[in-house]
């Protein structure tokens, strides 16, 4: 939601009438300080959350160890149905266990 030019003028006129011309500059200054403090707090919270996200390991990485198999011919660890090193197919016993 955006405030247009005319809406801002109406808000300022109402504020001038309610608060008065003597206290309006001081009130606006305090309002600006409060908004700045809220923006700083929100920025710090956002930085804190992004730092916490870096510490968490994605589920895909933890699942990758479970989905791997060792090639009986060359001993390499693989994730697909064929060995990336020698091209040997995944043993049939491992394939049957996956479907269950």
């Amino acid at each position: 939601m955006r405030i247009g030019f005319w809406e801002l003028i109406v808000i300022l006129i109402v504020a001038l009438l309610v608060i008065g011309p003597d206290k309006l500059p001081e009130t606006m200054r305090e309002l600006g300080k409060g908004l700045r403090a809220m923006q700083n707090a929100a920025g710090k919270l956002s930085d804190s959350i992004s730092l916490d996200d870096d510490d968490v390991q994605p589920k895909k990485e933890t699942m990758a160890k479970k989905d791997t198999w060792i090639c009986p011919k060359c001993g390499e660890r693989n994730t697909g149905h064929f060995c990336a090193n020698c091209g040997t197919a995944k043993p049939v016993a491992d394939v049957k266990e996956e479907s269950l």
Side-chain angles (χ1 to χ4, degrees), residues 7-93:
E7 289 88 358
L8 185 61
I9 295 296
V10 170
I11 291 170
L12 290 175
I13 290 172
V14 170
L16 183 63
L17 292 173
V18 171
I19 297 172
D22 296 336
K23 292 193 176 190
L24 185 62
E26 181 183 335
T27 305
M28 296 305 264
R29 202 173 301 118
E30 293 296 321
L31 181 65
K33 287 179 184 177
L35 288 173
R36 198 171 314 117
M38 284 178 36
Q39 285 179 340
N40 289 340
K44 288 179 183 177
L45 179 64
S46 176
D47 291 343
S48 172
I49 290 172
S50 66
L51 290 175
D52 290 342
D53 288 344
D54 293 340
D55 297 339
V56 178
Q57 293 180 352
K59 289 183 180 180
K60 289 182 181 179
E61 289 179 9
T62 57
M63 292 295 289
K65 292 181 181 177
K66 181 181 175 186
D67 295 338
T68 60
W69 58 279
I70 297 175
C71 177
K73 186 174 180 182
C74 66
E76 290 290 320
R77 185 171 296 276
N78 297 287
T79 56
H81 288 287
F82 294 96
C83 177
N85 189 33
C86 66
T88 303
K90 187 175 185 179
V92 178

